[in-house]
Amino acid sequence: GNPETEQAVIELRPNWGIEGDAHAAPWHRQVAFSYEQIEAFKNRGAEVGHGAFGENIIVEGFDLKSLPIGTRFVCNDVVLELTQIGKQATPMRIYHQMGDCIMPREGVFCKVLAGGTIAPGDLIEIA
């Protein structure tokens, strides 16, 4: 329920997630969001900053919600695999503010297949 805070660098561990993240566990749900989708939601009047949806990684240039499950991403030594799109949850603060939340439709979850570090501005590509 708490927003994430931007970090200078994150360390990702295989089959675990982001080192130090409260939701890191041996499962398939590290969160990513499309920069464009967050900006579109902000343009509708949402007052949200980076991390407001609990997203760990924000990427630009991909319509993440339209990619097939199993899509792999590579960033430096890190390899992520898309495992889930959307998540039903109890209404977030954002939903109460806006009457809508993009998490159920556009929150993208990935599993860490290969670990390493990622920093803001690093290039991420579809493998």
Side-chain angles (χ1 to χ4, degrees):
N2 294 324
E4 301 288 345
T5 57
E6 192 166 338
Q7 304 294 310
V9 65
I10 56 173
E11 177 75 30
L12 292 96
R13 291 181 30 208
N15 299 312
W16 182 257
I18 297 170
E19 191 66 44
D21 182 55
H23 299 287
W27 68 336
H28 68 283
R29 288 192 7 196
Q30 296 303 310
V31 185
F33 256 101
S34 163
Y35 172 80
E36 292 85 356
Q37 297 307 111
I38 295 171
E39 289 302 305
F41 197 59
K42 287 168 76 171
N43 288 337
R44 291 176 36 207
E47 296 178 16
V48 295
H50 291 181
F53 297 98
E55 71 274 18
N56 300 112
I57 299 171
I58 299 172
V59 301
E60 188 173 1
F62 302 111
D63 183 9
L64 295 174
K65 70 183 184 317
S66 70
L67 295 173
I69 300 299
T71 298
R72 291 188 177 184
F73 305 94
V74 176
C75 181
N76 305 328
D77 294 330
V78 175
V79 178
L80 304 172
E81 182 178 66
L82 181 67
T83 59
Q84 180 179 332
I85 299 172
K87 172 188 154 194
Q88 293 301 323
T90 56
M92 300 173 70
R93 174 189 52 81
I94 296 163
Y95 179 84
H96 295 294
Q97 174 191 5
M98 293 291 299
D100 187 22
C101 182
I102 59 177
M103 174 61 86
R105 299 181 306 277
E106 300 173 24
V108 174
F109 296 88
C110 295
K111 179 178 183 175
V112 180
L113 299 180
T117 60
I118 296 178
D122 285 351
L123 179 66
I124 188 167
E125 299 178 297
I126 294 177

